């Protein structure tokens, strides 16, 4: 069924809410999935399911009657009145109605369900081209007939989205991880890629360099401050040491002995009047000392022999 007709019917149901149906439910399913169309009712004796103006099946007193071929319908009704459709195809899309009655023929439920069968979205392709330090990022998909989906191309805070197109493209000067998302009501697929433009500095790299430079400048300033402070402390200690030495010198100068008096004492006069010592030549000759007795005896013996 054409999707234009489905949307037209949905609009008519919204414009005329007081039609025969009392409620409308929209159900989206992918191809080859199973759909369960249910409703709420109590004390049901008879249930009738239709698609458009065509009867599908009837369950009365727990007996099922098909108005279409069972294999072609690929459907069956459960004991609680729920319609089960297996191995869905796009042709199963349509408006399904159910009417439920009790044993007295009183209407217990009258509901409408819009079933839309969609194909899963294809895998997107993400491409990028760098020209003069500018990135041209493009996300493309292969679209089939009557296929509906939305393409999103994102990178950090950059987001561009379009519906029912085959490609989305934008231009930027920021390198980084780009994400292309293709989705519809029944499926979603994503492609991610790290894209960098040659010759372009990354934002994180620039931040790291700037942070390192600031840290280095702060470190140098602190180092110079510590060196100057240490030097100033050393000079201050040297000044204190010089002051202490100067003070000690002054105290030592104050403690010197008093000067001798101007008039000499009698002892000093005597010392000054003593004659200087005579030289060695003028000294008195010392008489020779006597020789020992053994030496005299030896000399006498020599004389006797002669």
């Amino acid at each position: 069924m054409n999707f234009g007709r489905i949307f037209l019917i949905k609009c008519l149901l919204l414009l005329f809410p007081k039609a025969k149906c009392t409620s409308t439910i929209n159900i989206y399913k992918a191809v080859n999935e199973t759909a369960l169309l249910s409703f709420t009712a109590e004390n049901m004796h008879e249930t009738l399911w239709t698609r458009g103006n065509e009867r599908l099946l009837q369950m009365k007193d727990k007996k099922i009657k098909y108005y279409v071929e069972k294999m072609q319908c690929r459907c069956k009704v459960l004991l609680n009145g729920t319609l089960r459709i297996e191995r869905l195809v796009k042709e199963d899309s349509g408006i399904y109605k159910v009417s439920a009655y009790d044993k007295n023929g009183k209407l217990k439920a009258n509901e409408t369900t819009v079933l839309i069968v969609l194909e899963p979205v294809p895998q997107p392709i993400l491409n990028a081209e760098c020209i003069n330090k500018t990135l041209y990022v493009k996300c493309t998909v292969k679209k089939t007939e009557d296929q509906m989906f939305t393409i999103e191309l994102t990178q950090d805070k950059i987001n561009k989205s379009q519906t029912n197109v085959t490609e989305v493209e934008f231009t930027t000067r920021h390198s980084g991880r780009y994400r292309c998302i293709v989705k519809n009501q029944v499926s979603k697929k994503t492609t991610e890629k790290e894209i960098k433009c040659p010759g372009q500095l990354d934002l994180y790299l620039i931040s790291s360099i700037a942070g390192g430079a600031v840290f280095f400048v702060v470190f140098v300033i602190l180092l110079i401050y510590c060196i100057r402070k240490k030097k100033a402390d050393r000079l201050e200690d040297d000044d204190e040491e010089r002051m202490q030495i100067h003070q000690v010198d002054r105290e030592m100068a104050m403690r010197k002995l008093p000067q001798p008096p101007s008039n000499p004492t009698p002892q000093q006069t005597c010392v000054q009047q003593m004659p200087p010592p005579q030289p060695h030549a003028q000294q008195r000759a010392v008489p020779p000392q006597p020789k020992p007795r053994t030496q005299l005896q030896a000399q006498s013996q020599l004389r006797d022999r002669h």
Side-chain angles (χ1 to χ4, degrees):
M1 179 178 289
N2 195 339
F3 287 99
R5 295 180 182 178
I6 296 175
F7 292 137
L8 178 61
I9 295 171
K10 291 169 62 177
C11 293
L12 291 175
L13 291 174
L14 294 175
L15 292 174
F16 301 98
K18 294 184 179 180
K20 292 182 180 180
C21 59
T22 57
S23 63
T24 303
I25 302 174
N26 296 332
I27 297 179
Y28 292 89
K29 289 293 181 180
V31 175
N32 293 325
E33 288 186 347
T34 298
L36 295 175
L37 311 182
S38 60
F39 64 96
T40 303
E42 296 180 356
N43 300 325
M44 297 179 300
H45 179 70
E46 180 183 356
T47 302
L48 177 63
W49 279 97
T50 62
R51 182 176 63 188
N53 297 325
E54 181 183 12
R55 289 187 175 185
L56 294 178
L57 53 81
Q58 179 186 28
M59 183 179 68
K60 186 175 183 180
D61 196 15
K62 298 183 181 180
K63 294 180 181 181
I64 300 175
K65 178 181 178 181
Y66 285 89
Y67 293 95
V68 295
E69 293 184 7
K70 185 176 180 180
M71 296 301 296
Q72 181 182 358
C73 179
R74 291 169 282 101
C75 58
K76 61 182 179 180
V77 64
L78 306 181
L79 293 178
N80 61 355
T82 299
L83 180 65
R84 178 186 176 95
I85 306 175
E86 299 176 348
R87 303 186 304 279
L88 287 171
V89 294
K90 294 177 63 176
E91 288 74 14
D92 291 327
S93 300
I95 300 175
Y96 292 79
K97 294 182 180 180
V98 59
S99 300
Y101 305 89
D102 61 8
K103 292 183 179 181
N104 298 324
K106 183 178 179 181
L107 183 64
K108 302 294 292 184
N110 189 17
E111 298 184 4
T112 301
T113 301
V114 179
L115 177 63
I116 302 174
V117 182
L118 301 176
E119 291 185 359
V121 295
Q123 185 70 34
I125 301 173
L126 186 59
N127 295 316
E129 185 179 7
C130 182
I131 302 176
N132 295 328
K133 298 183 180 181
T134 301
L135 276 175
Y136 296 88
V137 186
K138 182 187 295 185
C139 178
T140 59
V141 293
K142 295 181 180 180
K143 181 180 179 182
T144 60
E145 187 180 358
D146 295 333
Q147 192 173 21
M148 300 174 59
F149 50 77
T150 301
I151 302 179
E152 292 182 3
L153 187 57
T154 61
Q155 192 270 337
D156 292 339
K157 296 182 180 180
I158 303 174
N159 190 341
K160 188 174 182 180
S161 176
Q162 292 184 8
T163 304
N164 294 333
V165 295
T166 58
E167 67 179 25
V168 174
E169 181 180 5
F170 66 77
T171 304
T172 181
R173 299 182 68 88
H174 300 286
S175 299
R177 178 166 291 276
Y178 286 81
R179 182 182 299 106
C180 181
I181 303 173
V182 180
K183 62 182 179 180
N184 58 11
Q185 288 82 356
V186 298
S187 62
K188 176 181 178 180
K189 292 185 179 180
T190 304
T191 299
E192 293 186 6
K193 185 183 294 185
E194 188 76 22
I195 301 175
K196 292 185 178 181
C197 190
Q200 184 182 34
L201 289 178
D202 188 66
L203 179 61
Y204 298 103
L205 180 60
I206 295 174
S207 302
S208 301
I209 295 174
V214 172
F215 176 78
F216 178 75
V217 171
V218 173
F219 174 76
V220 171
I221 293 174
L222 291 176
L223 183 62
I224 294 174
Y225 171 78
C226 293
I227 294 174
R228 288 188 175 182
K229 188 175 185 303
K230 189 173 181 180
K231 187 176 181 180
D233 294 341
R234 186 180 300 173
L235 292 175
E236 184 177 356
D237 294 339
D238 293 342
D239 293 339
E240 291 180 358
E241 187 176 354
R242 291 193 189 97
M243 292 293 294
Q244 292 177 0
I245 295 173
H246 183 65
Q247 185 176 1
V248 170
D249 292 341
R250 291 181 61 185
E251 292 179 355
M252 293 296 295
M254 294 295 294
R255 293 179 182 179
K256 283 185 178 181
L257 295 174
Q259 296 293 333
S262 58
N263 297 323
T265 61
Q267 295 179 355
Q268 294 176 347
T269 304
C270 295
V271 171
Q272 293 178 357
Q273 292 179 357
M274 290 181 65
Q278 296 296 327
H280 183 73
Q282 297 179 0
Q283 289 183 2
R284 194 173 179 178
V286 179
Q289 294 181 0
K291 295 182 180 180
R293 185 175 294 180
T294 56
Q295 186 176 4
L296 292 176
Q297 292 178 358
Q299 291 178 359
S300 62
Q301 291 176 1
L302 288 174
R303 289 176 183 176
D304 293 340
R305 289 177 183 179
H306 291 289

